[in-house]
Amino acid sequence: MKKIIIPSLAAALLLFTYSCDTDFENDVNDVVITSGSADFSKYVALGNSLTAGYRDNALYLDGQNESYPSIIAAQMKLAGGGEFRQPLMPNNTGGFTNLFNSTTGAFGGKYVLVAANGSLSPTSTAPGAALDIITAGGPYQNMGVPGAKSFHLAVPGYGNAAGLSAGLSNPYFVRFASSATTSVLQDAVAQAPTFFSLWIGNNDVLSYATSGGMGTDQTGNTNPSTYGSNDITDPGVFATVINSYVTALTGSGAKGVIANIPNVTTIPYFTRVPAKPLVGLSATQVAQLNGGYAQYNAGLLQAKNLGAINDSEYQSRLINFTTTGSNGAVIVDKDLTNLSGFGIPSYRQTTSEDLILLTASAVLNPTVGGGTSVPLEDRYVLTKKETAKAIVATTAYNAALKSIADSKGLAFVDANAKMAQLAQQSGITFNNVKYTATFVTGGTFSLDGVHLTGRGAALIGNEFIKSINNKFGSNLPLANVNAFSGVTFP
């Protein structure tokens, strides 16, 4: 992601803003904190990377110490909450040296901002250490497992080290699973929690979106064992497994809170790069590009005249650059009519209805042809059609989560609405500090554009606290969002 630049002046202003002193929203000195009808003595959190404290494309100590469950647990201690142990990483870098893939960057160290030529750019670092097994220090109350989809939490052997090479297990759960045959849910229930939080399901659609729609929508397929890693989970499967988790967790009388899933259109990974990203092209560049695509456009006309495509598709596939305004990037769109028999590739320019992924910023460079003479690969763009699939699935998941929460008497967090609010220009203000979903400078999203900073985690943690208080009559104070970390600048 070396082409994502943040002007140094903006960074300096951001640092100034964050250095302002603020006070706690609630003065708890004269207030007796109570748990209401809930019992916080054994709080267990289940979920994925958001629950674990993953950020900056890695799981590392600072992120874990500022995870939203850790923030909630600290407030619960004021009302009888017990110990909240997390499976802490052995360093503040993250990654696993023995699992690191230099080609994909998987299991590398965290992103950091690096200054170069007057700008700041997120840059990946080397992993900090080999995978460590810390089962002996458990059980752990933060059971967030980065990468987990909804159905993974009940899979026996998801923490089996022997399954890593085959992709059958998850290294983050391998670190703290109680045995090679257990599941996340089994280890959670074994702790007999008195209170739980469950925020799972993002990856059931997010991996499809972050891959540029490279997976398959498995709606109608109820066998998750046949799914690929970037596939959309069948909504029926999703509802069934979530209901089974809640039934198991509440079986001994535990109360809890569950949260819904944000739409992909609200996070910087999909909003940082404009849909029409090419501006300031010179007359010479435009003439060269339009000349280069003249044969392609002529081929499209021939295909239309032969009835291979209709006029609407013909118009949408024409490639034309201008010197005024913003130009769409040329992309490969697999959902276009296949005209390879005519020797015509599946190209078109992006429109305002496409989402160009954050990762495209590394290759979207007209000076070397990226997005102009060299079309962006399909994995860099979530098209309107693909976005619609993601939103349909998310809507179905969220309806199921709300229904289950209501039927089981649980508190419910509308995280989707909160993220949508954060994505607005007005953002969310806490003690005179404004937060938005703007990449880096908004203060709430880390350098990977998907996961939350400490301040973002505190904002969402407070939403959990509000819902818990409203449902169970407790009066847990909100966390001081401004006391947590934002993006770290060099």
Side-chain angles (χ1 to χ4, degrees):
M1 256 183 245
K2 293 182 179 178
K3 297 298 181 183
I4 304 166
I5 57 175
I6 299 96
S8 297
L9 176 60
L13 291 173
L14 185 70
L15 285 171
F16 175 78
T17 300
Y18 287 176
S19 69
C20 294
D21 292 333
T22 56
D23 299 321
F24 276 85
E25 184 171 272
N26 297 344
D27 184 351
V28 300
N29 291 332
D30 299 321
V31 177
V32 177
I33 310 301
T34 67
S35 63
S37 61
D39 177 355
F40 302 133
S41 59
K42 175 69 76 173
Y43 165 47
V44 174
L46 295 93
N48 50 35
S49 53
L50 290 167
T51 297
Y54 190 101
R55 69 188 192 194
D56 299 320
N57 206 40
L59 187 67
Y60 61 94
L61 280 171
D62 283 355
Q64 292 178 289
N65 286 326
E66 294 187 330
S67 66
Y68 80 82
S70 178
I71 292 169
I72 295 171
Q75 305 306 89
M76 286 179 171
K77 282 191 175 182
L78 301 172
E83 182 180 17
F84 188 77
R85 191 175 300 169
Q86 301 193 90
L88 296 175
M89 294 287 284
N91 54 65
N92 210 24
T93 300
F96 300 117
T97 54
N98 55 329
L99 299 178
F100 174 58
N101 184 317
S102 59
T103 301
T104 65
F107 302 113
K110 66 182 179 183
Y111 289 161
V112 296
L113 280 177
V114 174
N117 301 320
S119 297
L120 298 172
S121 178
T123 304
S124 61
T125 59
L131 190 151
D132 55 337
I133 304 299
I134 57 172
T135 301
Y140 298 94
Q141 285 72 57
N142 188 335
M143 303 195 69
V145 179
K149 296 190 176 188
S150 61
F151 50 85
H152 285 143
L153 299 190
V155 174
Y158 196 52
N160 182 1
L164 284 173
S165 60
L168 300 176
S169 56
N170 184 309
Y172 296 102
F173 187 44
V174 167
R175 296 183 67 236
F176 67 91
S178 66
S179 74
T181 57
T182 191
S183 70
V184 176
L185 181 67
Q186 184 177 336
D187 276 2
V189 171
Q191 295 189 53
T194 61
F195 198 90
F196 68 90
S197 63
L198 178 64
W199 194 15
I200 188 75
N202 299 63
N203 291 326
D204 293 70
V205 66
L206 184 64
S207 58
Y208 171 84
T210 56
S211 70
M214 298 296 286
T216 300
D217 183 354
Q218 296 286 1
T219 299
N221 180 358
T222 59
N223 183 3
S225 67
T226 64
Y227 294 179
S229 60
N230 295 326
D231 290 354
I232 295 176
T233 302
D234 172 68
V237 169
F238 182 90
T240 298
V241 297
I242 296 295
N243 190 63
S244 69
Y245 300 163
V246 172
T247 297
L249 289 163
T250 58
S252 299
K255 293 181 170 64
V257 56
I258 63 178
N260 68 6
I261 302 165
N263 279 328
V264 297
T265 54
T266 62
I267 63 177
Y269 194 86
F270 301 98
T271 60
R272 165 63 177 174
V273 180
K276 292 185 175 182
L278 304 174
V279 297
L281 296 180
S282 69
T284 299
Q285 287 176 306
V286 167
Q288 290 175 339
L289 288 169
N290 288 339
Y293 282 105
Q295 185 176 359
Y296 170 80
N297 287 339
L300 288 178
L301 179 60
Q302 183 181 22
K304 187 188 79 166
N305 290 338
L306 291 172
I309 55 175
N310 59 29
D311 184 66
S312 177
E313 181 168 355
Y314 166 70
Q315 297 292 342
S316 71
R317 293 177 69 156
L318 287 174
I319 294 178
N320 180 50
F321 289 93
T322 69
T323 57
T324 57
S326 302
N327 289 281
V330 179
I331 63 170
V332 177
D333 184 348
K334 65 179 182 301
D335 290 322
L336 295 173
T337 299
N338 185 350
L339 299 177
S340 59
F342 294 88
I344 302 173
S346 294
Y347 294 165
R348 67 173 175 87
Q349 285 179 280
T350 52
T351 74
S352 59
E353 296 179 314
D354 294 309
L355 298 175
I356 300 181
L357 278 50
L358 187 61
T359 47
S361 58
V363 297
L364 194 60
N365 184 355
T367 61
V368 294
T372 53
S373 59
V374 181
L376 293 183
E377 296 176 44
D378 191 48
R379 63 192 172 101
Y380 289 119
V381 182
L382 194 67
T383 65
K384 176 185 177 182
K385 185 175 182 178
E386 293 164 342
T387 301
K389 291 181 181 179
I391 290 177
V392 166
T394 301
T395 301
Y397 299 162
N398 286 347
L401 289 165
K402 182 67 167 66
S403 176
I404 293 168
D406 290 345
S407 67
K408 300 291 185 180
L410 303 178
F412 180 75
V413 179
D414 192 349
N416 185 30
K418 187 55 58 175
M419 292 298 182
Q421 182 182 355
L422 202 59
Q424 299 298 313
Q425 190 172 11
S426 54
I428 298 171
T429 299
F430 185 91
N431 280 4
N432 300 318
V433 178
K434 177 182 172 182
Y435 295 100
T436 72
T438 302
F439 187 56
V440 177
T441 55
T444 53
F445 279 87
S446 71
L447 297 176
D448 58 36
V450 173
H451 299 94
L452 301 169
T453 62
R455 293 182 175 197
L459 277 173
I460 201 67
N462 280 346
E463 294 307 308
F464 276 78
I465 290 172
K466 291 175 188 175
S467 296
I468 292 168
N469 287 343
N470 287 337
K471 186 67 180 180
F472 302 112
S474 54
N475 61 345
L476 300 177
L478 300 184
N480 178 13
V481 174
N482 304 336
F484 294 89
S485 65
V487 171
T488 300
F489 288 82

